[in-house]
Each structure stands twice: as structure tokens, then as C-alpha cells.
Amino acid sequence: MKKALRIVWLALILLFIYVPILVLAVYSFTDATMVGAGISGFSFENYINLFKNEELRNMILNTVVLALVCAAISTVLATFGAIGAFYSKKVPKALLNTANQIPVVNADIVTGFSICILLIVLMRISKDTYIPLGIGHVVLTAPFVYLSILPKLKQMDNSLYEAALDLGATNSQALFKVVIPQLIPGILSGFMLAVTLSLDDYFVTTYTKPSTFDTISTYVVNATKGSQTDKKTALWALSTLIFIIVVIIVVLMNVLPGRKKEGKNEKV
């Protein structure tokens, strides 16, 4: 009985999570003008409009470029920050870990507004330089990358770095050839998490972006307030594509490591 209840409970949770996404995906292949309306036929018009409309194309390009660039910067900073904190003494390590956790639990609206006040109001850095926007996304994503890398450092043998030095490696050689290769899974996971957070962010982007610059999140909010139905329905297609891409990435990240282990076991 308990096992059946657990299965039912899990099924209900999955339904609440995925059914709305699947409904949206179905409507993205129809000519309906709103979710819940009657469907008179299937169509690829939403997907055609998504890539045909220059405004939508620019918005997607802006979002992807911003996410990739900021995720790369965040990953580099967080990787070296996590390594530095890990090999630090007890007090500095605790201070760094605590300081990293504050942006994680802090509300995005506070982070965005604080960066706006500091960089734009006090330091008078123009939004048109994209500097406030870039810094805002790095501040938002770097702590999460840090948290993705830290467990891999804790799993690593602490003596590897010292052993590399004893064998004649320089500090940089020991870092880049011994330590960092051990952290690759955590670094990749952190990078993907940073990309996702950047793609999804609204508050930090709103407070720091140039007036002519839009990402998916800011564009969707403005589009829902307007009356252009073709753009609204094209966003259904965009949401479906994002979901499919995320599913593919998650499946690959879970399947490929398992196959590599099986290949190694067969060789042994």
C-alpha cells in the first residue's frame, strides 16, 4: 500500500511538472491564438515566424551570446575561487564559503537593484556599455558554479597536488594538469547551470540592460502585455525548442559518463 501511494504521489508530481509543458508544446504546432482555445488544425507557422521575424531572431541571439559569455567568465572565476578556497586555511575558507552562499540565497531583485545602484548610479557606468549587464549575470551565476565545483574538490585526493610538485611539476603545471582535470565534471555542470540561470534571469537583466537590448525573459514579459498574437504564439515554439534542447543535454550528460565507465571496465 505504501509503495503504491509513493508511486501515485510521484506520478502526480511529474504530471504537475510536465503536463503544462506538453500542452504548450502541442499548441505550438497548431494555429490556435491562445492556449485553451479550440484547435482547428496543425501548423508549423509558429516555428516559421520564430526564425523569420528579425526582432525574435535578435532577441534569441542576444540571449544566447550573453549566456555563453557570462557563463564562461563565471566558470573561470568560480573554478579558481573554489580551488583557492579549498586549499586555504580554515578561517579564510569559511569566510569565502559564507560569502559565496549569500548571493545564492539572496533575492534576484535585490542583486539586480544593488548592481544598478553601484555601477550605474554611483559609478556612472552607462548601460549602453553592457558592463553592468555582464557583471550582473556573472555575480548571479558564479556562486552556483562555485557550488558545483566544490564537491569535486572534496572528492579529490588532497595529496595529488603535493605529489605532482614532488615529482618536479611547477605550481601551474600541477594546477592545470593534475587538479583541474579532476574537476572537469563539476566545471561542465557548473557551466551548464550558469547558462540556464542566465537564460532564465529577468530581474538582474531588467535593471542593468540597455534600453534596446532584450533577452528571452524580458521580451516574454513585454510580449505578454502587447497585442501581437503572432509573436506570442512564436514564443510557444521557442519554449518547446528550449525544453527539447534541455532534455537532450540532460540525457547526454547522464548517458555518456556511464558509457565511458563501461568502456573502461571492458578494457580492464
Coordinates of all heavy atoms in Angstrom, one line a residue, residues 2-85:
K2 N 1.9 1.3 0.9 CA 2.8 2.4 0.9 C 3.5 2.6 -0.4 O 3.7 3.7 -0.8 CB 3.8 2.2 2.1 CG 3.2 2.3 3.5 CD 4.3 2.2 4.5 CE 3.6 2.3 5.9 NZ 4.7 2.2 7.0
K3 N 3.9 1.5 -1.0 CA 4.6 1.6 -2.3 C 3.7 2.2 -3.3 O 4.2 3.0 -4.2 CB 5.2 0.2 -2.7 CG 6.0 0.2 -3.9 CD 6.5 -1.2 -4.3 CE 7.4 -1.1 -5.5 NZ 7.9 -2.5 -5.9
A4 N 2.5 1.7 -3.3 CA 1.5 2.3 -4.3 C 1.3 3.7 -4.1 O 1.2 4.5 -5.1 CB 0.2 1.5 -4.2
L5 N 1.2 4.2 -2.9 CA 1.0 5.6 -2.6 C 2.2 6.4 -3.0 O 2.0 7.5 -3.5 CB 0.7 5.8 -1.1 CG -0.6 5.3 -0.6 CD1 -0.7 5.4 1.0 CD2 -1.8 6.1 -1.2
R6 N 3.4 5.9 -2.8 CA 4.6 6.6 -3.3 C 4.6 6.7 -4.8 O 5.0 7.8 -5.3 CB 5.8 5.8 -2.8 CG 6.1 6.0 -1.3 CD 7.6 5.6 -1.0 NE 7.8 4.2 -1.3 CZ 7.8 3.3 -0.4 NH1 7.4 3.6 0.8 NH2 8.0 2.0 -0.7
I7 N 4.2 5.7 -5.5 CA 4.2 5.7 -6.9 C 3.1 6.8 -7.4 O 3.4 7.6 -8.3 CB 3.9 4.3 -7.5 CG1 5.0 3.4 -7.2 CG2 3.6 4.4 -9.0 CD1 4.7 2.0 -7.6
V8 N 1.9 6.8 -6.8 CA 0.9 7.7 -7.1 C 1.4 9.1 -6.9 O 1.1 10.0 -7.7 CB -0.4 7.4 -6.4 CG1 -1.4 8.5 -6.6 CG2 -1.0 6.1 -6.8
W9 N 2.0 9.4 -5.7 CA 2.5 10.7 -5.4 C 3.5 11.2 -6.4 O 3.5 12.3 -6.8 CB 3.0 10.7 -3.9 CG 3.6 12.0 -3.5 CD1 4.9 12.3 -3.3 CD2 2.8 13.2 -3.2 NE1 5.0 13.6 -2.8 CE2 3.7 14.2 -2.8 CE3 1.5 13.4 -3.2 CZ2 3.3 15.4 -2.4 CZ3 1.0 14.7 -2.9 CH2 2.0 15.7 -2.5
L10 N 4.4 10.3 -6.7 CA 5.5 10.6 -7.7 C 4.9 10.9 -9.1 O 5.2 11.9 -9.8 CB 6.5 9.5 -7.8 CG 7.6 9.7 -8.8 CD1 8.5 10.9 -8.5 CD2 8.5 8.4 -8.9
A11 N 3.9 10.1 -9.5 CA 3.2 10.4 -10.7 C 2.5 11.7 -10.8 O 2.5 12.4 -11.8 CB 2.2 9.2 -11.0
L12 N 1.8 12.1 -9.7 CA 1.2 13.4 -9.6 C 2.1 14.5 -9.7 O 1.9 15.5 -10.4 CB 0.4 13.5 -8.3 CG -0.9 12.6 -8.2 CD1 -1.5 12.7 -6.8 CD2 -1.9 13.1 -9.2
I13 N 3.3 14.4 -9.0 CA 4.3 15.5 -9.1 C 4.8 15.6 -10.6 O 4.9 16.7 -11.1 CB 5.5 15.1 -8.2 CG1 5.0 15.2 -6.7 CG2 6.6 16.1 -8.4 CD1 6.1 14.8 -5.7
L14 N 5.1 14.5 -11.2 CA 5.5 14.5 -12.6 C 4.5 15.1 -13.5 O 4.8 15.9 -14.5 CB 5.9 13.1 -13.1 CG 7.2 12.5 -12.4 CD1 7.4 11.1 -12.8 CD2 8.4 13.4 -12.7
L15 N 3.2 14.8 -13.3 CA 2.1 15.4 -14.1 C 2.0 16.9 -13.9 O 1.9 17.6 -14.9 CB 0.8 14.7 -13.7 CG 0.6 13.3 -14.2 CD1 -0.7 12.7 -13.6 CD2 0.5 13.2 -15.7
F16 N 2.1 17.4 -12.7 CA 2.1 18.8 -12.5 C 3.2 19.5 -13.1 O 3.1 20.7 -13.6 CB 2.1 19.1 -11.0 CG 0.7 19.0 -10.3 CD1 0.4 18.0 -9.4 CD2 -0.3 19.9 -10.7 CE1 -0.8 17.9 -8.8 CE2 -1.6 19.8 -10.1 CZ -1.8 18.8 -9.2
I17 N 4.4 18.9 -13.2 CA 5.6 19.5 -13.8 C 5.5 19.5 -15.3 O 5.8 20.5 -16.0 CB 6.9 18.8 -13.3 CG1 7.0 19.0 -11.8 CG2 8.1 19.3 -14.0 CD1 8.2 18.3 -11.2
Y18 N 5.2 18.3 -15.9 CA 5.4 18.1 -17.3 C 4.1 18.3 -18.2 O 4.3 18.6 -19.4 CB 6.0 16.8 -17.6 CG 7.4 16.7 -17.1 CD1 7.8 15.9 -16.0 CD2 8.5 17.3 -17.8 CE1 9.1 15.9 -15.5 CE2 9.8 17.3 -17.3 CZ 10.1 16.5 -16.2 OH 11.4 16.5 -15.8
V19 N 3.0 18.1 -17.6 CA 1.8 18.2 -18.4 C 1.6 19.7 -19.0 O 1.3 19.8 -20.2 CB 0.5 17.8 -17.6 CG1 -0.8 18.3 -18.3 CG2 0.5 16.3 -17.5
P20 N 1.8 20.7 -18.2 CA 1.7 22.1 -18.8 C 2.7 22.3 -19.9 O 2.4 23.0 -20.9 CB 2.0 23.0 -17.6 CG 1.7 22.2 -16.4 CD 2.0 20.8 -16.7
I21 N 3.9 21.8 -19.8 CA 4.9 21.9 -20.8 C 4.5 21.2 -22.1 O 4.6 21.7 -23.2 CB 6.3 21.4 -20.4 CG1 6.8 22.2 -19.1 CG2 7.3 21.5 -21.5 CD1 8.0 21.7 -18.5
L22 N 3.9 20.0 -21.9 CA 3.5 19.2 -23.1 C 2.3 19.8 -23.8 O 2.2 19.8 -25.0 CB 3.1 17.8 -22.6 CG 4.3 16.9 -22.1 CD1 3.8 15.6 -21.6 CD2 5.3 16.7 -23.2
V23 N 1.4 20.4 -23.0 CA 0.2 21.1 -23.6 C 0.7 22.3 -24.4 O 0.3 22.5 -25.5 CB -0.7 21.6 -22.5 CG1 -1.8 22.6 -23.0 CG2 -1.4 20.4 -21.8
L24 N 1.7 23.1 -23.8 CA 2.2 24.2 -24.6 C 2.9 23.7 -25.9 O 2.8 24.4 -26.9 CB 3.2 24.9 -23.7 CG 3.9 26.2 -24.3 CD1 2.8 27.3 -24.5 CD2 5.0 26.7 -23.4
A25 N 3.6 22.6 -25.8 CA 4.3 22.1 -27.0 C 3.3 21.7 -28.0 O 3.5 21.9 -29.2 CB 5.2 20.8 -26.6
V26 N 2.2 21.1 -27.6 CA 1.1 20.7 -28.6 C 0.6 21.9 -29.3 O 0.4 22.0 -30.5 CB 0.0 19.9 -27.9 CG1 -1.2 19.7 -28.8 CG2 0.5 18.5 -27.4
Y27 N 0.3 22.9 -28.5 CA -0.3 24.2 -29.1 C 0.7 24.9 -30.0 O 0.2 25.7 -30.8 CB -0.8 25.1 -27.9 CG -2.2 24.8 -27.5 CD1 -2.5 23.9 -26.6 CD2 -3.3 25.5 -28.2 CE1 -3.9 23.6 -26.2 CE2 -4.6 25.2 -27.8 CZ -4.9 24.3 -26.8 OH -6.2 24.1 -26.5
S28 N 2.0 24.7 -29.8 CA 3.0 25.4 -30.6 C 2.9 24.8 -32.0 O 3.4 25.5 -33.0 CB 4.4 25.2 -30.0 OG 4.8 23.8 -30.2
F29 N 2.3 23.6 -32.2 CA 2.1 23.0 -33.6 C 0.7 23.2 -34.1 O 0.3 22.5 -35.0 CB 2.5 21.6 -33.5 CG 3.9 21.3 -33.3 CD1 4.4 20.9 -32.0 CD2 4.8 21.3 -34.4 CE1 5.7 20.6 -31.8 CE2 6.2 21.1 -34.2 CZ 6.6 20.7 -32.9
T30 N 0.0 24.2 -33.6 CA -1.4 24.5 -34.1 C -1.5 25.9 -34.5 O -0.6 26.7 -34.4 CB -2.4 24.2 -32.9 OG1 -2.2 25.2 -31.9 CG2 -2.2 22.8 -32.3
D31 N -2.7 26.2 -35.1 CA -3.0 27.6 -35.5 C -3.8 28.3 -34.4 O -4.4 29.4 -34.7 CB -3.7 27.6 -36.8 CG -5.0 26.7 -36.8 OD1 -5.3 26.2 -35.7 OD2 -5.6 26.6 -37.8
A32 N -3.9 27.8 -33.2 CA -4.6 28.4 -32.1 C -3.9 29.7 -31.7 O -2.7 29.9 -31.8 CB -4.7 27.5 -30.9
T33 N -4.7 30.7 -31.3 CA -4.2 32.0 -30.9 C -4.0 32.1 -29.4 O -3.4 33.1 -28.9 CB -5.1 33.2 -31.4 OG1 -6.4 32.9 -30.9 CG2 -5.1 33.2 -32.9
M34 N -4.5 31.2 -28.7 CA -4.3 31.2 -27.2 C -4.4 29.8 -26.7 O -5.2 28.9 -27.2 CB -5.3 32.1 -26.5 CG -6.7 31.8 -26.7 SD -7.8 32.9 -25.8 CE -7.4 32.6 -24.1
V35 N -3.7 29.4 -25.6 CA -3.7 28.1 -25.0 C -5.1 27.9 -24.4 O -5.6 28.8 -23.6 CB -2.6 28.0 -23.9 CG1 -2.8 26.6 -23.3 CG2 -1.3 28.1 -24.6
G36 N -5.7 26.8 -24.7 CA -7.1 26.5 -24.2 C -8.1 26.7 -25.3 O -9.3 26.3 -25.1
A37 N -7.8 27.5 -26.4 CA -8.7 27.7 -27.4 C -8.8 26.4 -28.3 O -8.0 25.5 -28.2 CB -8.2 28.8 -28.3
G38 N -9.9 26.4 -29.1 CA -10.1 25.2 -30.0 C -9.0 25.1 -31.0 O -8.5 26.1 -31.5
I39 N -8.7 23.9 -31.4 CA -7.6 23.6 -32.4 C -8.3 23.2 -33.7 O -9.0 22.2 -33.7 CB -6.7 22.5 -31.9 CG1 -6.0 23.0 -30.6 CG2 -5.6 22.2 -33.0 CD1 -5.1 21.9 -30.0
S40 N -8.1 23.9 -34.7 CA -8.7 23.6 -36.0 C -7.8 22.8 -36.9 O -8.2 22.3 -37.9 CB -9.2 24.9 -36.7 OG -8.1 25.8 -36.9
G41 N -6.5 22.9 -36.6 CA -5.5 22.2 -37.5 C -4.1 22.4 -37.0 O -3.8 23.3 -36.2
F42 N -3.2 21.5 -37.4 CA -1.8 21.6 -37.0 C -1.1 22.4 -38.0 O -1.4 22.4 -39.2 CB -1.2 20.2 -36.9 CG -1.6 19.4 -35.7 CD1 -2.8 18.6 -35.7 CD2 -0.9 19.5 -34.5 CE1 -3.2 17.9 -34.6 CE2 -1.3 18.8 -33.4 CZ -2.4 18.0 -33.4
S43 N 0.0 23.1 -37.5 CA 0.7 24.0 -38.4 C 2.1 24.3 -37.8 O 2.3 24.2 -36.6 CB 0.0 25.4 -38.5 OG 0.7 26.4 -39.1
F44 N 3.1 24.5 -38.7 CA 4.4 24.9 -38.3 C 4.6 26.4 -38.4 O 5.8 26.9 -38.4 CB 5.4 24.2 -39.3 CG 5.5 22.7 -39.0 CD1 4.8 21.8 -39.8 CD2 6.3 22.2 -38.0 CE1 4.9 20.5 -39.6 CE2 6.4 20.9 -37.7 CZ 5.7 20.0 -38.5
E45 N 3.5 27.2 -38.5 CA 3.6 28.6 -38.7 C 4.4 29.3 -37.5 O 5.1 30.3 -37.7 CB 2.2 29.2 -38.9 CG 2.2 30.6 -39.3 CD 2.8 30.8 -40.7 OE1 2.7 29.9 -41.5 OE2 3.3 31.9 -41.0
N46 N 4.1 28.8 -36.3 CA 4.8 29.4 -35.2 C 6.3 29.3 -35.3 O 7.0 30.2 -34.9 CB 4.3 28.8 -33.9 CG 2.8 29.1 -33.6 OD1 2.4 30.2 -34.0 ND2 2.1 28.2 -33.0
Y47 N 6.8 28.1 -35.7 CA 8.2 27.9 -35.8 C 8.8 28.7 -37.0 O 9.9 29.2 -36.9 CB 8.5 26.4 -36.0 CG 8.2 25.6 -34.8 CD1 6.9 25.1 -34.5 CD2 9.2 25.4 -33.8 CE1 6.6 24.4 -33.4 CE2 8.9 24.6 -32.7 CZ 7.6 24.2 -32.5 OH 7.3 23.5 -31.3
I48 N 8.0 28.9 -38.0 CA 8.5 29.7 -39.2 C 8.6 31.2 -38.8 O 9.6 31.8 -39.1 CB 7.5 29.5 -40.4 CG1 7.5 28.1 -40.9 CG2 7.8 30.5 -41.5 CD1 6.4 27.8 -41.9
N49 N 7.6 31.6 -38.0 CA 7.6 33.0 -37.5 C 8.7 33.3 -36.6 O 9.3 34.4 -36.6 CB 6.3 33.4 -36.9 CG 5.1 33.5 -37.8 OD1 5.3 33.7 -39.0 ND2 3.9 33.3 -37.3
L50 N 9.1 32.3 -35.8 CA 10.1 32.4 -34.8 C 11.5 32.8 -35.5 O 12.2 33.6 -35.0 CB 10.3 31.1 -34.0 CG 11.4 31.1 -32.9 CD1 11.1 32.1 -31.9 CD2 11.4 29.7 -32.3
F51 N 11.8 32.1 -36.6 CA 13.1 32.3 -37.2 C 12.9 33.3 -38.4 O 13.9 33.8 -38.9 CB 13.6 31.0 -37.8 CG 14.0 30.0 -36.6 CD1 13.1 29.0 -36.3 CD2 15.1 30.2 -35.9 CE1 13.4 28.1 -35.3 CE2 15.4 29.3 -34.9 CZ 14.6 28.3 -34.6
K52 N 11.7 33.6 -38.8 CA 11.5 34.6 -39.9 C 11.5 36.0 -39.4 O 12.0 36.9 -40.0 CB 10.2 34.3 -40.5 CG 9.9 35.1 -41.8 CD 8.5 34.7 -42.4 CE 8.2 35.5 -43.6 NZ 6.9 35.1 -44.2
N53 N 11.0 36.2 -38.1 CA 10.9 37.6 -37.6 C 12.3 38.0 -37.1 O 12.9 37.4 -36.2 CB 9.9 37.5 -36.4 CG 9.6 38.9 -35.9 OD1 10.5 39.6 -35.4 ND2 8.3 39.3 -36.0
E54 N 12.8 39.2 -37.6 CA 14.1 39.6 -37.3 C 14.2 40.0 -35.8 O 15.2 39.8 -35.1 CB 14.5 40.9 -38.1 CG 15.9 41.4 -37.9 CD 16.2 42.5 -38.8 OE1 15.4 42.9 -39.6 OE2 17.3 43.1 -38.7
E55 N 13.1 40.6 -35.2 CA 13.1 41.0 -33.8 C 13.3 39.8 -32.9 O 14.1 39.8 -31.9 CB 11.8 41.7 -33.5 CG 11.7 42.3 -32.1 CD 10.4 43.0 -31.9 OE1 9.8 43.5 -32.8 OE2 10.0 43.1 -30.7
L56 N 12.6 38.7 -33.2 CA 12.7 37.5 -32.5 C 14.1 36.8 -32.6 O 14.7 36.3 -31.6 CB 11.7 36.5 -32.9 CG 10.2 36.9 -32.5 CD1 9.2 35.9 -33.2 CD2 10.0 37.0 -31.0
R57 N 14.7 36.9 -33.8 CA 16.0 36.3 -34.1 C 17.0 37.1 -33.2 O 17.9 36.5 -32.6 CB 16.3 36.4 -35.5 CG 15.6 35.4 -36.4 CD 16.4 35.1 -37.7 NE 16.8 36.3 -38.4 CZ 16.1 37.0 -39.3 NH1 14.9 36.5 -39.6 NH2 16.6 38.1 -39.8
N58 N 17.0 38.4 -33.2 CA 17.9 39.2 -32.5 C 17.8 38.9 -31.0 O 18.8 38.9 -30.3 CB 17.7 40.7 -32.8 CG 18.1 41.1 -34.2 OD1 18.9 40.4 -34.8 ND2 17.5 42.1 -34.7
M59 N 16.6 38.8 -30.5 CA 16.4 38.5 -29.1 C 17.0 37.2 -28.7 O 17.6 37.1 -27.7 CB 14.8 38.5 -28.8 CG 14.5 38.1 -27.4 SD 14.1 36.3 -27.3 CE 12.6 36.2 -28.3
I60 N 16.8 36.1 -29.5 CA 17.4 34.8 -29.2 C 18.9 34.9 -29.3 O 19.6 34.4 -28.4 CB 16.9 33.8 -30.3 CG1 15.4 33.6 -30.1 CG2 17.6 32.5 -30.1 CD1 14.8 32.8 -31.2
L61 N 19.5 35.6 -30.3 CA 20.9 35.7 -30.4 C 21.5 36.5 -29.2 O 22.5 36.1 -28.6 CB 21.3 36.5 -31.7 CG 22.8 36.7 -31.9 CD1 23.5 35.4 -32.1 CD2 23.0 37.5 -33.2
N62 N 20.8 37.6 -28.8 CA 21.3 38.3 -27.6 C 21.3 37.4 -26.4 O 22.3 37.5 -25.6 CB 20.3 39.5 -27.3 CG 20.4 40.6 -28.4 OD1 21.3 40.7 -29.2 ND2 19.3 41.4 -28.4
T63 N 20.3 36.6 -26.2 CA 20.2 35.8 -25.0 C 21.3 34.7 -25.0 O 21.9 34.5 -24.0 CB 18.8 35.1 -25.0 OG1 17.8 36.1 -25.0 CG2 18.7 34.3 -23.7
V64 N 21.5 34.1 -26.1 CA 22.5 33.0 -26.2 C 23.9 33.5 -26.0 O 24.7 33.0 -25.3 CB 22.4 32.3 -27.6 CG1 23.5 31.3 -27.7 CG2 21.0 31.5 -27.6
V65 N 24.2 34.6 -26.7 CA 25.6 35.2 -26.6 C 25.8 35.7 -25.1 O 26.9 35.4 -24.6 CB 25.7 36.4 -27.6 CG1 27.1 37.1 -27.3 CG2 25.7 35.9 -29.0
L66 N 24.9 36.4 -24.6 CA 25.0 36.8 -23.2 C 25.2 35.6 -22.2 O 26.1 35.7 -21.4 CB 23.8 37.6 -22.7 CG 23.8 38.1 -21.3 CD1 24.9 39.1 -21.0 CD2 22.4 38.7 -21.0
A67 N 24.4 34.6 -22.4 CA 24.5 33.4 -21.5 C 25.8 32.7 -21.6 O 26.5 32.4 -20.6 CB 23.4 32.5 -21.8
L68 N 26.3 32.5 -22.9 CA 27.6 31.8 -23.1 C 28.8 32.6 -22.6 O 29.7 32.0 -21.9 CB 27.7 31.5 -24.6 CG 26.8 30.4 -25.1 CD1 27.0 30.3 -26.6 CD2 26.9 29.1 -24.4
V69 N 28.8 33.9 -22.9 CA 29.9 34.7 -22.5 C 30.0 34.8 -20.9 O 31.1 34.6 -20.3 CB 29.9 36.1 -23.1 CG1 30.9 37.0 -22.5 CG2 30.1 36.0 -24.6
C70 N 28.9 35.1 -20.3 CA 28.9 35.3 -18.9 C 29.1 33.9 -18.2 O 29.7 33.9 -17.1 CB 27.5 35.9 -18.4 SG 27.3 37.6 -18.9
A71 N 28.6 32.9 -18.7 CA 28.8 31.5 -18.1 C 30.3 31.2 -18.2 O 30.8 30.6 -17.2 CB 28.0 30.5 -18.8
A72 N 30.9 31.5 -19.3 CA 32.4 31.2 -19.4 C 33.2 32.0 -18.4 O 34.1 31.4 -17.7 CB 32.8 31.5 -20.8
I73 N 32.9 33.3 -18.3 CA 33.6 34.1 -17.3 C 33.3 33.6 -15.9 O 34.2 33.5 -15.0 CB 33.2 35.6 -17.4 CG1 33.6 36.1 -18.8 CG2 33.8 36.4 -16.3 CD1 33.0 37.5 -19.1
S74 N 32.1 33.3 -15.6 CA 31.7 32.8 -14.2 C 32.4 31.5 -13.9 O 32.9 31.2 -12.8 CB 30.2 32.6 -14.1 OG 29.5 33.8 -14.3
T75 N 32.5 30.6 -14.9 CA 33.1 29.3 -14.7 C 34.6 29.5 -14.4 O 35.1 28.8 -13.5 CB 33.0 28.4 -16.0 OG1 31.6 28.3 -16.2 CG2 33.6 27.1 -15.8
V76 N 35.3 30.3 -15.1 CA 36.7 30.6 -14.9 C 36.9 31.1 -13.4 O 37.8 30.7 -12.7 CB 37.3 31.5 -15.9 CG1 38.8 31.9 -15.5 CG2 37.3 30.9 -17.3
L77 N 36.2 32.2 -13.1 CA 36.3 32.8 -11.8 C 36.0 31.8 -10.7 O 36.7 31.8 -9.7 CB 35.4 34.0 -11.7 CG 35.7 35.2 -12.6 CD1 34.7 36.3 -12.5 CD2 37.1 35.8 -12.3
A78 N 34.9 31.1 -10.8 CA 34.4 30.2 -9.8 C 35.4 29.0 -9.6 O 35.6 28.5 -8.5 CB 33.0 29.7 -10.1
T79 N 36.0 28.5 -10.7 CA 36.9 27.4 -10.7 C 38.1 27.8 -9.8 O 38.5 27.1 -8.9 CB 37.3 27.0 -12.1 OG1 36.2 26.6 -12.8 CG2 38.3 25.8 -12.0
F80 N 38.7 28.9 -10.2 CA 39.9 29.3 -9.4 C 39.6 29.8 -8.0 O 40.3 29.6 -7.0 CB 40.6 30.5 -10.1 CG 41.3 30.0 -11.4 CD1 40.8 30.3 -12.7 CD2 42.5 29.2 -11.3 CE1 41.5 29.8 -13.8 CE2 43.1 28.8 -12.5 CZ 42.6 29.1 -13.7
G81 N 38.3 30.3 -7.8 CA 37.9 30.7 -6.5 C 37.7 29.5 -5.6 O 38.1 29.5 -4.4
A82 N 37.1 28.4 -6.2 CA 36.8 27.2 -5.4 C 38.1 26.5 -5.1 O 38.3 26.0 -3.9 CB 35.9 26.3 -6.2
I83 N 39.1 26.5 -6.0 CA 40.4 25.9 -5.7 C 41.1 26.7 -4.7 O 41.7 26.1 -3.7 CB 41.2 25.8 -7.0 CG1 40.6 24.8 -8.0 CG2 42.6 25.4 -6.7 CD1 41.2 24.8 -9.4
G84 N 41.1 28.0 -4.8 CA 41.8 28.8 -3.8 C 41.2 28.7 -2.4 O 41.9 28.6 -1.4
A85 N 39.8 28.6 -2.3 CA 39.2 28.4 -1.0 C 39.5 27.0 -0.5 O 39.7 26.9 0.8 CB 37.7 28.6 -1.2

